[in-house]
Amino acid sequence: MRVVIFGASGMIGQGVLRACLLDDSVTDVLLVVRSPLNVPHPKVREVVHADFTDFQAIRDELTGLDACFFCLGVSSAGRDEAAYTRVTFDYTLAAARVVGADNPALTFIYVSGQGTDSTEKGRTMWARVKGRTENALLAMDFYAYMFRPGFIQPLHGEVSRTGSYRVLYRLTSWAFPVLRRLAPRHTTTTEHLGLAMLAVVEQQGAGPRVLGNEDINRLGSR
C-alpha cells in the first residue's frame, strides 16, 4: 500500500504516520509538508511544498497512491470564517482534486470532528465549514471517508501543535480512563485513529462513509 499524509506534523498525523510505519502492508509513505520533518525511516519520502491552495506543481509526486490521509487542520479559536475556511475547506479540496485526479482507486480519509454540521446551516461556524468540506469530498470521484473523533488521547509521544490543546491534554490526561468508561462514544486515541484509517482503506468504499468514535475504536481495535 502506498499512502500520502497531509498534516503529519500534527498530533493526529503523528499517530497515523506511526501506524503506517508499523504496518507491513504499507510500503511507501509520502509526507507533504511545508517544512522538512526529517523522519528517519526507509518507507518515508517527504515533499516540501509552500502553497497549500495549489498542489499542481507537485502533481507528478502524487501518483500511484492507494490512500490519502488528510489530517491537516487548525483550531477555529481566534479565526474568522474566511480564515478558517481557507485552511479547512480550500486546503483540503485543493489536495483532494490533485490527489484524486491520477489515482482512480484512491481512498481519501478526512479528519473532521464530532459535531460537524452536514446541513452547513447551523450556528456554529467551525461545524458548518467542516460540514461543507465533508459534503464536497463525499461528492468526489474516489472512496471518501469522514472521521469525526471527539476527545482524542495522544499516545506514544504524539503532541498537538496548538499550545492551548497541549495544555488541555496535560490537564485532562488523568481523566481519560474515566471518560472512556463513562462516555466511550466521545473518546478515542491517536493509535485507534491510525489503525482505523488503515482498516478503512481495505474496505474499498464499503461500510459507513462517516465514522464517529465508536466506529473508529471498533476498527482501531481489530
Side-chain angles (χ1 to χ4, degrees), residues 7-11 14 34-35 37 73 159-166:
S9 63
M11 185 183 79
Q14 293 166 35
R34 285 198 182 89
S35 301
L37 298 181
V159 179
S160 173
R161 296 187 67 188
T162 303
S164 60
Y165 286 4
R166 289 197 297 272

Side-chain angles (χ1 to χ4, degrees), residues 11 151-154 160 165-173:
M11 185 183 79
F151 184 86
I152 305 167
Q153 182 188 27
S160 173
Y165 286 4
R166 289 197 297 272
V167 173
L168 175 65
Y169 287 125
R170 277 202 304 272
L171 294 175
T172 60
S173 60

